[in-house]
Amino acid sequence: MRKHAPAALALAAALLLAGCAQEQPSASSQIFAMDTVMSLEVYGDGAEERAAQAAETIYRLEDLWDVTDEGSEIWALDHSGGAWVDLSPETAELLDQALALCALTDGALDLTAYPAVRAWGFTTGDYRVPAREELEALVPLIDYTRLELDAAGARARLPEGMELDLGAVAKGYAGALLARQLREAGTASALLSLGGNIQAVGARPDGSPWRIAIQDPAQDGQAALGVVEIVDQAVVTSGGYQRYFEEDGTRYWHIMDPDTAAPARGGLSSVTVIGADGTVCDALSTALFVMGAERAADFWRDHPELEVELILTAEDGSVQITQGLEDCFEPAQGLEAAVIAP
Ligand code: AMP
Ligand code: MG
């Protein structure tokens, strides 16, 4: 047996090489992090190792930001009684970028909406409809302008009684950071699917664009609204169908209107944002859902510098896409998408 081993090995190596000549090495892994299933698909040399590093990075970010974990930096900020809290570079970078997006969206995105998220039971799964007085008392606690980052960005503080969470932006930032790391390591092709957030590095290994299915909120995401083609971009969707409960025939979802401390009712059932920066896409998907279709379209027209495109699905099932998607969004059969012009 032993005598034949080298020959067998040589044969195996030859088969492997033949395989490599036809297609690139690849790694595909599934992990559970940030409350969702994630899949990491990496192509090219060192794919296996880079996918493993990407998973490590996600777990590290989760440890920094898990709002319910007493060891996390966000937990520390929420329980510091107004004192300064030291931040890791990633937390500081995300808070800085996210605060700018809170301001840009006029507070439709508000990182301090957490007391409302909790009051409706979304943190525990013990869902309830809070009384009006309870919600009125929460509204003054939602105010991102009271979150302070010191000049060097290495510390932050939040007034006692207020709480923040990064649920609206964490996965988008994670995708953007991983894409940056993968590109720096020389990866030319990868697709990261982090819950409702898709992040592409480059194109598919054969050079064609990635084809991403957009879920149809009317069918609780079980069917596709259409397919969008992307290269090197993020595709992020926020939808009322992603996390919700029903009581007395009404559906209540996890995206809060900071003005009412209640689920946002802007008439939309989902918002997809496509663009180069995953953090921007994630922040905007949440904020534009809060704004509703008309304000979302105006926001898009007012901010061409963000270079994002939108798919807006209304509660009545109608779909609108922004003009830049005309050539790369393929609606599902029978679906008509109206075009929002600049
Ligand atoms: P997303 O799925 O990206 O739209 O983020 C939704 C999550 O962000 C929720 O589960 C909450 O944790 C948090 N959140 C809810 N409403 C808001 C809001 N208006 N601004 C910022 N974060 C929010
Ligand atoms: Mg978001």
Side-chain angles (χ1 to χ4, degrees):
M1 273 308 284
R2 265 187 122 175
K3 222 168 78 193
H4 297 291
L9 267 181
L11 183 64
L15 284 174
L16 211 63
L17 283 175
C20 289
Q22 280 160 12
E23 57 186 67
Q24 295 190 31
S26 66
S28 160
S29 63
Q30 281 226 341
I31 62 170
F32 187 84
M34 298 184 180
D35 250 351
T36 188
V37 177
M38 301 185 167
S39 79
L40 315 171
E41 227 178 279
V42 181
Y43 295 87
D45 290 338
E48 196 81 39
E49 193 188 333
R50 288 177 197 162
Q53 281 165 351
E56 281 306 311
T57 302
I58 291 174
Y59 289 133
R60 190 164 53 79
L61 297 178
E62 180 179 39
D63 285 347
L64 290 176
W65 300 338
D66 185 346
V67 68
T68 60
D69 175 356
E70 297 190 11
S72 82
E73 291 185 356
I74 298 306
W75 196 91
L77 257 172
D78 288 349
H79 297 85
S80 65
W84 287 104
V85 171
D86 291 334
L87 305 177
S88 59
E90 291 90 346
T91 309
E93 182 180 55
L94 176 52
L95 282 183
D96 190 42
Q97 201 183 351
L99 279 177
L101 288 157
C102 289
L104 195 70
T105 59
D106 205 13
L109 177 77
D110 193 318
L111 299 184
T112 62
Y114 191 65
V117 178
R118 190 222 301 280
W120 289 84
F122 286 104
T123 56
T124 55
D126 293 330
Y127 301 120
R128 56 192 277 275
V129 179
R132 203 157 51 108
E133 304 76 56
E134 186 181 342
L135 295 180
E136 282 168 0
L138 292 178
V139 172
L141 292 179
I142 304 176
D143 182 0
Y144 70 90
T145 65
R146 306 201 58 200
L147 172 63
E148 278 181 272
L149 268 183
D150 76 2
R155 299 184 306 166
R157 69 176 171 189
L158 193 63
E160 182 152 26
M162 290 179 66
E163 284 174 287
L164 79 117
D165 88 292
L166 299 178
V169 290
K171 293 194 290 261
Y173 177 89
L177 177 67
L178 295 180
R180 203 155 78 203
Q181 290 175 346
L182 285 165
R183 287 183 195 115
E184 279 168 13
T187 294
S189 178
L191 191 70
L192 313 172
S193 173
L194 317 179
N197 292 41
I198 306 287
Q199 173 73 57
V201 173
R204 284 166 43 171
D206 67 4
S208 63
W210 299 101
R211 290 172 56 78
I212 310 297
I214 309 295
Q215 295 177 326
D216 183 354
Q219 300 180 61
D220 278 353
Q222 296 305 304
L225 205 63
V227 173
V228 65
E229 291 192 334
I230 56 160
V231 173
D232 250 331
Q233 285 173 305
V235 180
V236 181
T237 300
S238 285
Y241 66 93
Q242 290 169 336
R243 275 172 68 200
Y244 66 87
F245 68 95
E246 279 171 1
E247 197 172 297
D248 299 331
T250 303
R251 193 176 272 205
Y252 300 97
W253 45 73
H254 66 300
I255 301 172
M256 299 290 149
D257 183 342
D259 290 338
T260 60
R265 301 217 176 270
L268 289 172
S269 53
S270 80
V271 174
T272 298
V273 183
I274 298 140
D277 184 327
T279 314
V280 170
C281 293
D282 201 356
L284 292 185
S285 68
T286 309
L288 301 184
F289 186 94
V290 172
M291 288 185 197
E294 220 166 295
R295 278 181 66 202
D298 286 342
F299 180 90
W300 177 78
R301 290 189 188 99
D302 290 344
H303 293 285
E305 79 284 1
L306 294 174
E307 296 185 0
V308 293
E309 302 295 337
L310 313 175
I311 302 169
L312 306 177
T313 309
E315 287 188 273
D316 67 7
S318 61
V319 177
Q320 289 180 278
I321 61 170
T322 53
Q323 203 172 51
L325 289 180
E326 268 185 307
D327 293 336
C328 51
F329 177 70
E330 201 180 290
Q333 216 176 9
L335 181 101
E336 291 269 350
V339 176
I340 302 172

